[in-house]
Amino acid sequence: MATSRNKGRSPGRAKRSGPSRGGWGWLFFILILLALGCLLFRYTRWTSPRPGPITAPGTNRFPKAVPPGAPKNTPGVVPPSAKLTNLPPLYRATNTAQPERPLPATTRHAYNPNALTTPQPATNPPPPVVTTNSEVPAPTNAPVRLAETNLVTSPSFPRPPTNALEIQVALVRQGISPGSIDGRSGGQTAAALRAFQLQQGFTPTGWLDKNTRSVLQLDRPAVRTMILEAVDLGALQPIQKTWLGKAEQTEMAYATAVEFAAEKNGASPTLVRSLNPDVDWNAPVAGTTITVPDAEYPPPRRAARANVSLSGHWLRVFDSTGYLLAHFPCSIARLAEKRPVGELHITVMIRNPNYTFDPAVFPESEEAQQIGRKLIIPPGPNNPVGVAWIGLDRPGYGIHGTPNPEEVGRTESHGCFRLANWNAEYFRRMAWTGMPITVEP
């Protein structure tokens, strides 16, 4: 007789413990989904390219070259991609992919030494260009890796530059300044390369690609010799540290022989020292022959206008056709409220100006507050405004030189636009009273 516990059940069919048959089915279904998810995750990891360290156009390092036979996703090699969406009208471009060009027998553009009035249009001008909102495709050729040492002394000219020093010298010879020539690849050299590419109608990548090498040519060695004359060494003067001491000097001259040699050639004192390791710069001897960069600007041509970019920290000069005549690194005001945006005009140009020291302009200086009166600082390359002053039609604003050219574009001013001394003087020779200066954000 069945007990009450098994009442109504067949003999031998007692209730089993554990989940029902339907519960086991759901558990099996969930396990299948998890397995499929794991397989999908592993598949995406296998098929996705692994990113390498990015060295993009506009950074302060040049990209590495793609080794022969390397895969497309080689770590550390990133093809250029930049959007041309907010370029000013003078720079608009359609030819995002450039055809290969043979090496020319001479440089593409020749400056007329006698043309200081109406500039001539460049031969073989680039095609008209417009803006695209698409991303610039990567060039088929890989950019070269720039060596920062070992001067190439090949007697074969013309030829493209082969290292950072030669690139900087070649750019200066086209009116494009990379800042103080230091033989090192950096952000200002990349900006100068972009300016040159815009000048030539190329996509502004900042890389020394094959198209750029076809027109950026050296027609002679990148360095030359220079003799330290007795008259130059005799004119050196130490610069006083205080404003009162500077006001009592007869001239704000070069303080050292290495500073003199560097500024006369648009170079960094560090580069001059490295090119001349056997020279005793603490006690140089008159008649000593030294090696310096052979970086000479083309003869100045009359400009039509200039643009200052606050975000790009550069000043560019154009002729009446929109052709880029010159590019200079530029320091801007430290305070945003002292950065004028819009169109200004040149009102005055002075070579070798003196400088009126006003304590009110230097509220952070304890010495300035103690002096409590204006001082006149004599002219010279170590004058606070350098060797040139280009005044603008906004009180207290101007474009001028500086006693610290290595800091241009890297540090900020009290309100003016600061250039290296050699760039300020070159710009002064191109400009004219009333010329428009457009300041862009």
Side-chain angles (χ1 to χ4, degrees), residues 22-364:
W24 283 110
W26 279 108
L27 181 60
F28 183 74
F29 180 74
I30 292 172
L31 290 175
I32 291 175
L33 289 180
L34 289 175
L36 290 174
C38 291
L39 289 174
L40 181 61
F41 175 75
R42 295 298 299 271
Y43 177 79
T44 55
R45 288 199 62 187
W46 289 334
T47 57
S48 298
R50 297 185 180 183
I54 295 178
T55 309
T59 61
N60 62 355
R61 294 193 64 188
F62 285 86
K64 298 180 180 179
V66 179
K72 291 183 179 180
N73 295 319
T74 303
V77 179
V78 178
S81 65
K83 292 186 178 180
L84 306 179
T85 55
N86 298 314
L87 298 180
L90 291 171
Y91 301 141
R92 302 186 183 269
T94 60
N95 51 333
T96 55
Q98 299 295 328
E100 298 297 334
R101 303 189 180 193
L103 295 178
T106 58
T107 52
R108 185 179 181 187
H109 296 285
Y111 288 88
N112 183 355
N114 299 319
L116 284 177
T117 55
T118 304
Q120 300 297 321
T123 57
N124 301 323
V129 282
V130 291
T131 306
T132 66
N133 292 324
S134 61
E135 197 168 62
V136 178
T140 56
N141 54 282
V144 300
R145 177 169 176 78
L146 301 179
E148 296 181 354
T149 58
N150 300 331
L151 296 178
V152 176
T153 58
S154 170
S156 176
F157 294 102
R159 62 168 175 79
T162 59
N163 56 55
L165 174 59
E166 291 187 341
I167 289 173
Q168 292 172 340
V169 170
L171 288 169
V172 169
R173 294 175 184 176
Q174 298 296 322
I176 310 293
S177 172
S180 294
I181 297 174
D182 57 6
R184 300 175 63 86
S185 55
Q188 291 189 354
T189 302
L193 271 171
R194 288 194 293 271
F196 177 76
Q197 289 162 338
L198 288 167
Q199 182 192 65
Q200 303 298 315
F202 296 158
T203 300
T205 64
W207 293 15
L208 186 67
D209 52 41
K210 192 171 183 179
N211 285 324
T212 305
R213 292 198 301 272
S214 69
V215 294
L216 185 61
Q217 299 280 299
L218 285 171
D219 59 355
R220 62 186 186 275
V223 295
R224 65 179 180 88
T225 58
M226 170 185 175
I227 298 177
L228 296 176
E229 303 285 355
V231 63
D232 298 321
L233 297 179
L236 302 177
Q237 291 187 25
I239 302 301
Q240 299 297 318
K241 301 296 184 182
T242 66
W243 288 107
L244 281 173
K246 293 176 181 179
E248 294 172 354
Q249 291 195 214
T250 58
E251 182 184 3
M252 298 297 289
Y254 295 112
T256 64
V258 69
E259 181 190 39
F260 164 78
E263 282 213 24
K264 285 296 183 181
N265 297 280
S268 161
T270 302
L271 175 67
V272 173
R273 290 180 183 275
S274 65
L275 291 176
N276 302 276
D278 297 329
V279 175
D280 182 4
W281 292 104
N282 294 320
V285 178
T288 301
T289 299
I290 62 173
T291 301
V292 293
D294 186 6
E296 185 178 357
Y297 279 129
R301 298 169 62 182
R302 183 178 174 86
R305 62 182 297 109
N307 286 13
V308 174
S309 171
L310 298 178
S311 58
H313 287 217
W314 48 251
L315 183 151
R316 289 176 180 168
V317 188
F318 302 89
D319 69 7
S320 58
T321 68
Y323 179 74
L324 180 65
L325 297 176
H327 162 97
F328 311 121
C330 176
S331 290
I332 63 172
R334 176 173 55 88
L335 301 177
E337 60 269 21
K338 292 188 176 182
R339 302 172 185 171
V341 175
E343 185 167 289
L344 304 174
H345 297 84
I346 295 176
T347 58
V348 64
M349 296 188 296
I350 304 173
R351 184 181 183 185
N352 290 325
N354 58 27
Y355 175 75
T356 301
F357 169 76
D358 186 352
V361 180
F362 299 90
E364 74 282 1

